[in-house]
Amino acid sequence: MEKQRVKILSADYVTHNVRRFVVEKPAGLTFVSGQASDISINAPNLEDQLRPFTFTSVNSSDHLEFIIKIYTGHNGVTEKLAELKPGDELFIHDVFGTINFKGPGLFIAAGAGITPFISIFRQLNLENKLTGNTLLFANRTSDDIILKDELKEMLGQNYIDVIERSADASQPPRFIDRELLKPHITPQNQFYYICGPDQFISMMMDNLHDLGVKKSQIVIEQ
């Protein structure tokens, strides 16, 4: 797909360092929930600086949405994105990605790794197919949780926070480890979806393998 110029319709913060962009949807653009696109900024010296970001909207929407973690201090692309406002323009490039819904299962996310799952859950919600899916969502603090209210509303008791640094001193740190995963390794969970930093993905895959999950049941970005 040739790059297409789109206008930012709105931009707001959903956490202290995560920003949501709603942008125009180019005619003819389609994607599967879980996929991403390379994006660049329509500005001098930035047009060719492509970065991959996941669609958090659903394909049937008349706009595109991206939820992006902003990294500051090194003058990178996300720091430039933090400066943009409605009316500014981006370029949408090729659509790609191998994370997509294959069947009911356990979703394991860390931080901004939740983004492909947001679109998947929204699409399943539209189709009334959320039953049988569980989310383990790891974050450093409760302030880092992206779209908690929406995810909780969609998934109910199948939404599980795993907070490393609780504001409550009486609550010990929690991590997604083998012991936490073990109760979720069930015949009902046909697939295990993982997204987050590379080290997190590797650790989760090792844990799942040790717990008897087959490689064919694990869905990650390839």
Side-chain angles (χ1 to χ4, degrees):
M1 182 183 80
E2 292 186 5
K3 69 181 181 183
Q4 300 191 60
R5 187 170 59 188
V6 296
K7 188 175 295 184
I8 296 174
L9 304 176
S10 66
D12 63 296
Y13 278 90
V14 295
T15 76
H16 60 100
N17 63 352
V18 175
R19 204 172 189 208
R20 169 171 45 202
F21 295 89
V22 176
V23 307
E24 295 173 325
K25 185 177 184 179
L29 185 147
T30 63
F31 63 92
V32 175
S33 288
Q35 287 191 306
S37 174
D38 281 325
I39 294 176
S40 59
I41 300 171
N42 184 18
N45 303 317
L46 294 173
E47 184 176 331
D48 296 324
Q49 293 191 39
L50 279 61
R51 297 293 186 276
F53 298 110
T54 307
F55 300 105
T56 50
S57 48
V58 296
N59 185 58
S60 59
S61 177
D62 61 0
H63 62 266
L64 299 177
E65 181 191 89
F66 299 92
I67 293 178
I68 298 172
K69 185 170 182 179
I70 304 299
Y71 295 91
T72 59
H74 51 78
N75 201 33
V77 170
T78 66
E79 194 164 4
K80 297 297 183 184
L81 285 169
E83 300 171 2
L84 300 184
K85 59 188 184 300
D88 290 334
E89 294 178 335
L90 305 174
F91 285 108
I92 305 292
H93 298 256
D94 289 338
V95 174
F96 60 90
T98 56
I99 292 181
N100 59 80
F101 186 71
K102 299 178 181 297
L106 178 67
F107 289 77
I108 308 166
I114 191 64
T115 52
F117 301 160
I118 291 170
S119 180
I120 290 173
F121 291 143
R122 285 173 168 174
Q123 184 62 44
L124 291 176
N125 193 39
L126 288 174
E127 299 172 0
N128 294 314
K129 294 181 179 178
L130 275 172
T131 301
N133 295 288
T134 298
L135 170 64
L136 295 178
F137 191 10
N139 285 279
R140 283 195 173 88
T141 74
S142 58
D143 290 338
D144 296 318
I145 303 173
I146 298 169
L147 299 190
K148 176 171 182 172
D149 290 344
E150 181 181 353
L151 292 168
K152 180 73 173 175
E153 182 178 354
M154 287 193 290
L155 294 164
Q157 64 182 7
N158 291 328
Y159 170 88
I160 302 168
D161 277 324
V162 184
I163 305 300
E164 180 181 340
R165 302 173 189 166
S166 172
D168 184 349
S170 67
Q171 296 293 324
R174 294 184 73 200
F175 304 92
I176 301 179
D177 55 19
R178 197 174 308 168
E179 290 306 307
L180 186 58
L181 288 169
K182 192 173 182 178
H184 299 284
I185 311 302
T186 67
Q188 290 73 33
N189 283 331
Q190 300 175 19
F191 293 95
Y192 297 82
Y193 304 83
I194 312 170
C195 193
D198 290 344
Q199 185 178 6
F200 176 83
I201 293 172
S202 179
M203 289 172 58
M204 294 304 106
M205 290 183 68
D206 288 344
N207 287 332
L208 291 174
H209 179 266
D210 291 345
L211 291 167
V213 175
K214 298 177 181 177
K215 186 176 180 180
S216 60
Q217 293 177 275
I218 299 175
V219 181
I220 61 171
E221 186 59 59
Q222 301 289 343

